[in-house]
Amino acid sequence: MAVNNNENVLHYHAKVQSTIQQIARAAIVSPSLPELYATVQQLIGAVLPAENFHVSLLDEPNQQILVRYVLDAKEAIPPRRPIAKGLTEYVVMQKKSVRLTAVELQRLQDSGEAIPTFAGITEWLGAPLFDSTGKAVGVISLYLTDTNRHFQPEDIDVLSIVAAQLAQAIERTRLKEALRNNETEFRKLLKALPLPMAIINRAGEHTYINER
């Protein structure tokens, strides 16, 4: 019996390692964040219950939670909601991954610390998405609605690693978008100048000439 248990543990850890490696590759090669989110959900389902999988980001200027990806077996989740005292906000405030049992969920609700946005959750697992400055910009989460199923203590470590990879991909995408927007605005500025203007790269090639 002990041998079988050891073999099961080794098999599980090997599957976790393989899943994390596949997610790391996907974070680099996925052509868009929505496709990456879908890939992560599919891959993480090999080692964690992922039929209820959410990726939520903070929109602080507008004081909203943006649900960027959701796969939910039962609930219709709105794409955005005001920042309040949801479980996403709780994880952001805690600045660490959390695993909440039914007892803990009830305690948080009774104390007013955090209130689930919908009923029926029996267990919840969430990990913050940190940017390169250490600021939590969102949360990746899973939850269960079956009292006979439970997250394991080690699941929080797996989700934390996945969250770190996902956060890096989100930040890379945001930086690329910012660079594209800056380049567009710069070209508009050059185009508006009354004098001829050109951009030349290090090879001496013209990459842009305004129409003057």
Side-chain angles (χ1 to χ4, degrees):
M1 184 65 70
V3 172
N4 288 336
N5 286 339
N6 289 337
E7 289 179 350
N8 289 337
V9 170
L10 290 173
H11 177 72
Y12 170 77
H13 285 306
K15 185 181 289 187
V16 168
Q17 187 66 31
S18 174
T19 297
I20 290 172
Q21 290 173 349
Q22 291 179 73
I23 290 174
R25 286 194 294 269
I28 296 172
V29 303
S30 291
S32 69
L33 285 178
E35 291 183 63
L36 174 59
Y37 298 151
T39 300
V40 169
Q41 187 277 327
Q42 292 171 359
L43 291 172
I44 204 173
V47 292
L48 297 177
E51 63 270 22
N52 300 301
F53 173 90
H54 297 188
V55 178
S56 302
L57 301 181
L58 290 178
D59 178 6
E60 290 184 313
N62 296 307
Q63 287 294 289
Q64 291 186 326
I65 299 293
L66 306 179
V67 181
R68 287 310 190 199
Y69 184 86
V70 57
L71 181 68
D72 200 291
K74 294 185 178 181
E75 297 291 331
I77 308 299
R80 63 183 65 231
R81 63 173 176 80
I83 291 177
K85 287 190 174 183
L87 295 176
T88 294
E89 293 91 327
Y90 178 74
V91 171
V92 170
M93 291 292 293
Q94 294 296 308
K95 298 181 180 180
K96 64 179 182 180
S97 301
V98 298
R99 173 186 172 223
L100 300 172
T101 64
V103 173
E104 291 164 332
L105 286 165
Q106 189 61 54
R107 179 187 62 79
L108 290 173
Q109 186 165 343
D110 291 344
S111 67
E113 289 182 74
I115 301 172
T117 52
F118 47 88
I121 299 176
T122 56
E123 286 198 22
W124 192 88
L125 192 69
L129 302 167
F130 292 114
D131 66 14
S132 56
T133 68
K135 179 181 179 181
V137 297
V139 171
I140 178 175
S141 62
L142 309 169
Y143 74 87
L144 301 173
T145 59
D146 184 349
T147 56
N148 294 317
R149 300 175 68 196
H150 304 281
F151 291 118
Q152 302 304 311
E154 60 269 21
D155 291 346
I156 197 169
D157 297 324
V158 176
L159 193 64
S160 297
I161 295 171
V162 173
Q165 295 170 337
L166 198 56
Q168 290 176 4
I170 291 170
E171 186 163 35
R172 282 197 302 269
T173 299
R174 286 180 167 179
L175 288 173
K176 289 178 182 177
E177 290 175 351
L179 287 172
R180 281 197 299 268
N181 291 336
N182 288 340
E183 182 178 0
T184 299
E185 292 302 316
F186 183 60
R187 288 177 180 270
K188 287 180 180 178
L189 177 62
L190 289 180
K191 190 174 182 179
L193 291 175
L195 299 174
M197 184 69 66
I199 299 176
I200 303 173
N201 63 21
R202 292 184 177 181
E205 301 167 336
H206 288 81
T207 61
Y208 175 82
I209 301 175
N210 69 345
E211 300 173 359
R212 297 295 174 194

